[in-house]
């Protein structure tokens, strides 16, 4: 285990099980859809989850990427979102979008993005998250597909970072507070 990790919250095996389960749910839910299914990865944290998930969906899927910045300290989010990389498509009314996110904290990023993509004219917009910290919500938001509900602890790995580090860890772990100057 990495020396900066206090405890593993989601093991490699559990992450694989989560991806298989959610891919199964998505495959069933969109089986009879007449629209194109677009998995929309939110850079950068969701890249690893997206890569694992998309391989397991038994339907034709398209993929795309958006990048969103939230201002604030590295271990908390301020709630102001800023779109750094947008989605540009001429066929919004023909796509069912599933936003793929690494973790939901305040809920602001996904609630803003969902509204934004609906306003842009998507046929439908749903959300999928690997991790959820519901105790941190500042706006009411419930994802359509949830990997695992976790306590209010700052986690890294499987795409999630602290100051751009630890994304490549194959599991999700709690960062030792002394690493980010916490107690
Ligand atoms: P929200 O808008 O507050 O829901 O912010 C969600 C975003 O905050 C995620 O996409 C992450 O980038 C970041 N975030 C929230 N909690 C954590 C964490 O425990 N580890 C790493 N990033 C986190
Ligand atoms: Mg993120």
């Amino acid at each position: 285990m990495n020396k900066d990790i206090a405890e593993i919250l989601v093991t490699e095996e559990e992450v694989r099980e989560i991806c298989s389960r959610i891919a199964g749910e998505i495959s069933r839910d969109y089986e009879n859809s007449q629209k194109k299914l677009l998995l929309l990865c939110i850079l950068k944290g969701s890249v690893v989850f997206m890569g694992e998930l998309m391989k397991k969906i038994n339907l034709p899927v398209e993929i795309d990427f958006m990048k969103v910045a939230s201002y604030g300290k590295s271990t908390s989010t301020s709630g102001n979102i800023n779109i750094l990389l947008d989605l540009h498509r001429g066929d919004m009314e023909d796509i069912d979008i599933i936003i793929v996110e690494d973790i939901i904290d305040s809920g602001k990023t996904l609630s803003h993005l969902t509204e934004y993509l609906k306003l842009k004219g998507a046929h439908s917009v749903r959300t999928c998250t690997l991790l959820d910290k519901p105790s941190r919500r500042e706006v009411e938001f419930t994802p359509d597909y949830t990997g695992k509900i976790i306590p209010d602890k700052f986690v890294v790995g499987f795409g999630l970072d602290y100051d751009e580090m630890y994304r490549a860890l194959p599991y999700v772990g709690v960062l030792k507070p002394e690493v980010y100057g916490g107690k």
Side-chain angles (χ1 to χ4, degrees):
M1 192 166 81
N2 185 290
K3 64 172 176 37
D4 295 339
I5 301 299
E7 117 193 59
I8 294 181
L9 267 196
V10 195
T11 64
E12 278 189 76
E13 194 191 348
E14 196 179 353
V15 169
R16 273 198 299 276
E17 286 166 9
I18 287 169
C19 292
S20 298
R21 170 177 57 79
I22 295 179
E25 292 169 13
I26 291 173
S27 303
R28 275 192 304 280
D29 290 352
Y30 289 86
E31 200 175 18
N32 299 314
S33 168
Q34 305 299 311
K35 303 290 182 185
K36 292 176 266 189
L37 182 56
L38 178 71
L39 299 181
L40 182 59
C41 175
I42 307 307
L43 294 171
K44 302 172 190 172
S46 310
V47 158
V48 185
F49 176 42
M50 170 94 155
E52 192 68 26
L53 183 69
M54 61 187 279
K55 292 184 283 184
K56 297 180 170 168
I57 298 176
N58 291 319
L59 299 170
V61 293
E62 296 185 21
I63 63 167
D64 223 316
F65 301 86
M66 280 183 76
K67 191 168 186 190
V68 171
S70 51
Y71 299 107
K73 285 178 287 174
S74 294
T75 55
S76 70
T77 48
S78 72
N80 298 315
I81 67 158
N82 188 14
I83 294 171
L84 303 178
L85 175 68
D86 205 345
L87 179 67
H88 298 285
R89 292 185 63 127
D91 61 347
M92 289 298 283
E93 67 284 356
D94 290 325
I95 55 176
D96 287 321
I97 297 176
I98 300 178
I99 305 172
V100 179
E101 180 64 298
D102 50 0
I103 188 165
I104 306 179
D105 189 74
S106 71
K108 289 179 178 173
T109 304
L110 277 189
S111 63
H112 277 97
L113 262 185
T114 303
E115 278 317 299
Y116 176 75
L117 293 164
K118 283 180 179 165
L119 281 172
K120 265 173 103 84
H123 176 256
S124 71
V125 183
R126 282 188 181 166
T127 54
C128 171
T129 189
L130 174 63
L131 304 169
D132 192 359
K133 293 191 218 175
S135 61
R136 299 261 310 168
R137 277 306 186 284
E138 292 172 34
V139 296
E140 203 178 306
F141 187 85
T142 308
D144 298 285
Y145 305 97
T146 304
K148 186 170 184 172
I149 290 176
I150 62 165
D152 179 13
K153 290 181 175 176
F154 192 79
V155 293
V156 295
F158 211 76
L160 291 110
D161 75 308
Y162 169 67
D163 279 352
E164 297 301 327
M165 293 200 311
Y166 312 105
R167 292 194 196 277
L169 295 178
Y171 49 81
V172 177
V174 179
L175 196 58
K176 287 182 182 165
E178 59 259 36
V179 176
Y180 56 83
K183 44 182 162 39

